[in-house]
mmCIF file of all heavy atoms in Angstrom:
data_model
loop_
_atom_site.group_PDB
_atom_site.id
_atom_site.type_symbol
_atom_site.label_atom_id
_atom_site.label_comp_id
_atom_site.label_asym_id
_atom_site.label_seq_id
_atom_site.Cartn_x
_atom_site.Cartn_y
_atom_site.Cartn_z
ATOM 1 N N PRO B 356 -25.643 -19.288 -9.477
ATOM 2 C CA PRO B 356 -24.200 -19.386 -9.706
ATOM 3 C C PRO B 356 -23.869 -20.353 -10.831
ATOM 4 O O PRO B 356 -24.423 -21.453 -10.914
ATOM 5 C CB PRO B 356 -23.671 -19.898 -8.361
ATOM 6 C CG PRO B 356 -24.718 -19.517 -7.363
ATOM 7 C CD PRO B 356 -26.025 -19.600 -8.093
ATOM 8 N N PHE B 382 -8.560 -24.271 -10.033
ATOM 9 C CA PHE B 382 -7.973 -24.146 -11.363
ATOM 10 C C PHE B 382 -6.625 -24.862 -11.450
ATOM 11 O O PHE B 382 -6.324 -25.524 -12.443
ATOM 12 C CB PHE B 382 -7.809 -22.664 -11.712
ATOM 13 C CG PHE B 382 -7.235 -22.383 -13.068
ATOM 14 C CD1 PHE B 382 -7.959 -22.682 -14.215
ATOM 15 C CD2 PHE B 382 -5.983 -21.806 -13.204
ATOM 16 C CE1 PHE B 382 -7.437 -22.415 -15.477
ATOM 17 C CE2 PHE B 382 -5.451 -21.533 -14.457
ATOM 18 C CZ PHE B 382 -6.181 -21.839 -15.593
ATOM 19 N N LEU B 405 -9.514 8.433 8.028
ATOM 20 C CA LEU B 405 -9.826 9.759 7.468
ATOM 21 C C LEU B 405 -11.282 10.065 7.780
ATOM 22 O O LEU B 405 -12.175 9.382 7.295
ATOM 23 C CB LEU B 405 -9.577 9.802 5.961
ATOM 24 C CG LEU B 405 -9.638 11.203 5.344
ATOM 25 C CD1 LEU B 405 -8.380 11.994 5.692
ATOM 26 C CD2 LEU B 405 -9.807 11.132 3.828
ATOM 27 N N VAL B 436 -7.357 4.690 -4.237
ATOM 28 C CA VAL B 436 -6.202 4.770 -3.342
ATOM 29 C C VAL B 436 -5.072 4.006 -4.020
ATOM 30 O O VAL B 436 -5.191 2.802 -4.277
ATOM 31 C CB VAL B 436 -6.494 4.173 -1.950
ATOM 32 C CG1 VAL B 436 -5.299 4.421 -1.032
ATOM 33 C CG2 VAL B 436 -7.769 4.771 -1.350
ATOM 34 N N ALA B 456 -17.390 17.879 -3.517
ATOM 35 C CA ALA B 456 -16.195 17.934 -4.338
ATOM 36 C C ALA B 456 -15.346 16.665 -4.203
ATOM 37 O O ALA B 456 -15.605 15.794 -3.371
ATOM 38 C CB ALA B 456 -15.375 19.158 -3.947
ATOM 39 N N ALA B 460 -5.815 13.402 -0.652
ATOM 40 C CA ALA B 460 -5.005 13.345 0.562
ATOM 41 C C ALA B 460 -3.796 12.456 0.297
ATOM 42 O O ALA B 460 -3.821 11.595 -0.593
ATOM 43 C CB ALA B 460 -5.822 12.805 1.732
ATOM 44 N N GLN B 486 -19.798 18.764 -8.452
ATOM 45 C CA GLN B 486 -20.613 17.839 -7.677
ATOM 46 C C GLN B 486 -20.599 16.473 -8.351
ATOM 47 O O GLN B 486 -20.498 16.364 -9.560
ATOM 48 C CB GLN B 486 -22.036 18.369 -7.543
ATOM 49 C CG GLN B 486 -22.158 19.597 -6.651
ATOM 50 C CD GLN B 486 -23.601 20.013 -6.438
ATOM 51 O OE1 GLN B 486 -24.526 19.289 -6.793
ATOM 52 N NE2 GLN B 486 -23.788 21.189 -5.860
ATOM 53 N N LEU B 514 -21.909 9.941 -17.411
ATOM 54 C CA LEU B 514 -20.563 9.677 -16.941
ATOM 55 C C LEU B 514 -19.633 10.751 -17.481
ATOM 56 O O LEU B 514 -19.581 10.983 -18.694
ATOM 57 C CB LEU B 514 -20.086 8.300 -17.402
ATOM 58 C CG LEU B 514 -20.835 7.090 -16.841
ATOM 59 C CD1 LEU B 514 -20.237 5.797 -17.397
ATOM 60 C CD2 LEU B 514 -20.799 7.074 -15.324
ATOM 61 N N TRP B 531 -20.216 10.813 -21.426
ATOM 62 C CA TRP B 531 -20.762 9.612 -22.034
ATOM 63 C C TRP B 531 -22.252 9.501 -21.759
ATOM 64 O O TRP B 531 -22.676 9.102 -20.687
ATOM 65 C CB TRP B 531 -20.071 8.379 -21.471
ATOM 66 C CG TRP B 531 -18.853 8.012 -22.253
ATOM 67 C CD1 TRP B 531 -18.383 8.580 -23.378
ATOM 68 C CD2 TRP B 531 -17.937 6.973 -21.917
ATOM 69 N NE1 TRP B 531 -17.232 7.975 -23.785
ATOM 70 C CE2 TRP B 531 -16.936 6.973 -22.911
ATOM 71 C CE3 TRP B 531 -17.860 6.040 -20.902
ATOM 72 C CZ2 TRP B 531 -15.875 6.083 -22.912
ATOM 73 C CZ3 TRP B 531 -16.803 5.158 -20.899
ATOM 74 C CH2 TRP B 531 -15.817 5.168 -21.901
ATOM 75 N N PRO B 544 -4.775 -5.406 -17.082
ATOM 76 C CA PRO B 544 -3.484 -5.415 -17.780
ATOM 77 C C PRO B 544 -3.183 -6.729 -18.482
ATOM 78 O O PRO B 544 -2.296 -6.775 -19.332
ATOM 79 C CB PRO B 544 -2.492 -5.170 -16.626
ATOM 80 C CG PRO B 544 -3.166 -5.765 -15.433
ATOM 81 C CD PRO B 544 -4.631 -5.505 -15.626
ATOM 82 N N LEU B 553 -20.744 -1.122 -15.153
ATOM 83 C CA LEU B 553 -21.869 -0.198 -15.263
ATOM 84 C C LEU B 553 -23.087 -0.686 -14.489
ATOM 85 O O LEU B 553 -23.481 -1.850 -14.601
ATOM 86 C CB LEU B 553 -22.261 -0.035 -16.739
ATOM 87 C CG LEU B 553 -21.142 0.475 -17.659
ATOM 88 C CD1 LEU B 553 -21.522 0.268 -19.118
ATOM 89 C CD2 LEU B 553 -20.860 1.942 -17.386
ATOM 90 N N VAL B 590 -22.871 -9.499 -14.336
ATOM 91 C CA VAL B 590 -23.030 -10.262 -13.107
ATOM 92 C C VAL B 590 -24.002 -9.546 -12.190
ATOM 93 O O VAL B 590 -24.203 -8.335 -12.303
ATOM 94 C CB VAL B 590 -21.648 -10.447 -12.417
ATOM 95 C CG1 VAL B 590 -21.098 -9.111 -11.937
ATOM 96 C CG2 VAL B 590 -21.713 -11.454 -11.288
ATOM 97 N N MET B 602 -35.405 -8.640 6.358
ATOM 98 C CA MET B 602 -35.524 -7.721 5.231
ATOM 99 C C MET B 602 -36.508 -8.274 4.214
ATOM 100 O O MET B 602 -36.511 -9.469 3.911
ATOM 101 C CB MET B 602 -34.157 -7.498 4.575
ATOM 102 C CG MET B 602 -33.154 -6.818 5.491
ATOM 103 S SD MET B 602 -33.655 -5.140 5.916
ATOM 104 C CE MET B 602 -32.368 -4.687 7.081
ATOM 105 N N GLY B 643 -14.816 -12.009 -5.193
ATOM 106 C CA GLY B 643 -14.930 -12.922 -6.321
ATOM 107 C C GLY B 643 -13.594 -12.927 -7.051
ATOM 108 O O GLY B 643 -12.778 -12.003 -6.891
ATOM 109 N N SER B 645 -11.555 -13.927 -10.890
ATOM 110 C CA SER B 645 -11.705 -14.248 -12.305
ATOM 111 C C SER B 645 -10.343 -14.470 -12.932
ATOM 112 O O SER B 645 -9.396 -13.720 -12.672
ATOM 113 C CB SER B 645 -12.438 -13.122 -13.044
ATOM 114 O OG SER B 645 -12.563 -13.440 -14.418
ATOM 115 N N ASP B 652 -15.846 -16.565 -10.136
ATOM 116 C CA ASP B 652 -16.046 -17.638 -9.172
ATOM 117 C C ASP B 652 -16.182 -16.978 -7.804
ATOM 118 O O ASP B 652 -15.292 -16.231 -7.381
ATOM 119 C CB ASP B 652 -14.867 -18.607 -9.197
ATOM 120 C CG ASP B 652 -15.126 -19.837 -8.338
ATOM 121 O OD1 ASP B 652 -16.225 -20.409 -8.448
ATOM 122 O OD2 ASP B 652 -14.230 -20.223 -7.562
ATOM 123 N N ASP B 655 -17.099 -18.063 -1.680
ATOM 124 C CA ASP B 655 -17.284 -17.600 -0.303
ATOM 125 C C ASP B 655 -18.210 -16.388 -0.313
ATOM 126 O O ASP B 655 -17.812 -15.296 -0.713
ATOM 127 C CB ASP B 655 -15.936 -17.229 0.311
ATOM 128 C CG ASP B 655 -16.064 -16.738 1.742
ATOM 129 O OD1 ASP B 655 -17.049 -17.123 2.409
ATOM 130 O OD2 ASP B 655 -15.187 -15.979 2.185
ATOM 131 N N ALA B 672 -23.469 1.527 9.370
ATOM 132 C CA ALA B 672 -24.547 1.513 8.379
ATOM 133 C C ALA B 672 -24.146 0.923 7.032
ATOM 134 O O ALA B 672 -24.970 0.297 6.367
ATOM 135 C CB ALA B 672 -25.087 2.938 8.167
ATOM 136 N N ASP B 717 -1.602 -12.389 -0.222
ATOM 137 C CA ASP B 717 -2.154 -13.612 -0.839
ATOM 138 C C ASP B 717 -3.154 -14.321 0.066
ATOM 139 O O ASP B 717 -3.559 -15.452 -0.221
ATOM 140 C CB ASP B 717 -1.065 -14.637 -1.199
ATOM 141 C CG ASP B 717 0.093 -14.063 -1.970
ATOM 142 O OD1 ASP B 717 -0.122 -13.098 -2.712
ATOM 143 O OD2 ASP B 717 1.215 -14.579 -1.833
ATOM 144 N N HIS B 753 13.234 -20.889 -9.813
ATOM 145 C CA HIS B 753 13.222 -20.813 -8.359
ATOM 146 C C HIS B 753 11.785 -20.913 -7.844
ATOM 147 O O HIS B 753 10.946 -20.051 -8.134
ATOM 148 C CB HIS B 753 13.863 -19.517 -7.892
ATOM 149 C CG HIS B 753 15.222 -19.275 -8.473
ATOM 150 N ND1 HIS B 753 16.362 -19.859 -7.968
ATOM 151 C CD2 HIS B 753 15.613 -18.537 -9.557
ATOM 152 C CE1 HIS B 753 17.402 -19.482 -8.692
ATOM 153 N NE2 HIS B 753 16.983 -18.675 -9.661
ATOM 154 N N ASP B 759 2.393 -20.765 6.100
ATOM 155 C CA ASP B 759 2.518 -20.701 7.552
ATOM 156 C C ASP B 759 2.640 -22.132 8.060
ATOM 157 O O ASP B 759 1.652 -22.863 8.129
ATOM 158 C CB ASP B 759 1.295 -20.001 8.155
ATOM 159 C CG ASP B 759 1.370 -19.905 9.677
ATOM 160 O OD1 ASP B 759 2.350 -20.394 10.264
ATOM 161 O OD2 ASP B 759 0.426 -19.337 10.271
ATOM 162 N N GLY B 763 5.514 -27.185 11.911
ATOM 163 C CA GLY B 763 5.397 -28.253 10.913
ATOM 164 C C GLY B 763 6.420 -28.057 9.823
ATOM 165 O O GLY B 763 7.458 -27.414 10.012
ATOM 166 N N SER B 779 16.193 -36.379 -8.606
ATOM 167 C CA SER B 779 16.742 -35.148 -8.010
ATOM 168 C C SER B 779 15.651 -34.221 -7.481
ATOM 169 O O SER B 779 15.961 -33.215 -6.836
ATOM 170 C CB SER B 779 17.628 -34.359 -8.984
ATOM 171 O OG SER B 779 18.739 -35.125 -9.396
ATOM 172 N N SER B 784 14.519 -35.269 -0.942
ATOM 173 C CA SER B 784 15.625 -34.344 -1.195
ATOM 174 C C SER B 784 15.180 -32.885 -1.163
ATOM 175 O O SER B 784 15.985 -31.980 -1.410
ATOM 176 C CB SER B 784 16.283 -34.656 -2.547
ATOM 177 O OG SER B 784 15.363 -34.450 -3.609
ATOM 178 N N LEU B 797 11.706 -22.715 -1.789
ATOM 179 C CA LEU B 797 11.614 -24.161 -1.577
ATOM 180 C C LEU B 797 12.589 -24.803 -2.562
ATOM 181 O O LEU B 797 12.409 -24.719 -3.778
ATOM 182 C CB LEU B 797 10.181 -24.652 -1.795
ATOM 183 C CG LEU B 797 9.817 -26.002 -1.170
ATOM 184 C CD1 LEU B 797 8.305 -26.194 -1.126
ATOM 185 C CD2 LEU B 797 10.451 -27.166 -1.901
ATOM 186 N N VAL B 807 14.350 -28.530 -15.748
ATOM 187 C CA VAL B 807 13.087 -29.085 -16.252
ATOM 188 C C VAL B 807 12.155 -27.984 -16.747
ATOM 189 O O VAL B 807 10.994 -28.251 -17.071
ATOM 190 C CB VAL B 807 12.387 -29.918 -15.156
ATOM 191 C CG1 VAL B 807 13.196 -31.168 -14.833
ATOM 192 C CG2 VAL B 807 12.147 -29.091 -13.900
ATOM 193 N N ILE B 847 7.473 -1.240 -4.161
ATOM 194 C CA ILE B 847 6.942 -2.080 -5.232
ATOM 195 C C ILE B 847 6.456 -1.212 -6.380
ATOM 196 O O ILE B 847 6.712 -1.482 -7.535
ATOM 197 C CB ILE B 847 5.787 -2.969 -4.724
ATOM 198 C CG1 ILE B 847 6.327 -3.954 -3.686
ATOM 199 C CG2 ILE B 847 5.132 -3.731 -5.872
ATOM 200 C CD1 ILE B 847 5.263 -4.807 -3.055
ATOM 201 N N LYS B 858 11.094 -6.835 -0.342
ATOM 202 C CA LYS B 858 10.711 -8.231 -0.136
ATOM 203 C C LYS B 858 9.632 -8.326 0.929
ATOM 204 O O LYS B 858 9.659 -7.614 1.920
ATOM 205 C CB LYS B 858 11.925 -9.063 0.288
ATOM 206 C CG LYS B 858 13.092 -8.927 -0.680
ATOM 207 C CD LYS B 858 12.707 -9.322 -2.103
ATOM 208 C CE LYS B 858 13.879 -9.193 -3.047
ATOM 209 N NZ LYS B 858 14.296 -7.834 -3.329
#
Side-chain angles (χ1 to χ4, degrees):
F382 181 68
L405 190 75
V436 186
Q486 290 185 10
L514 295 180
W531 271 356
L553 302 166
V590 66
M602 296 295 176
S645 179
D652 188 46
D655 180 26
D717 311 330
H753 308 279
D759 180 359
S779 299
S784 64
L797 200 164
V807 293
I847 295 176
K858 306 303 180 290

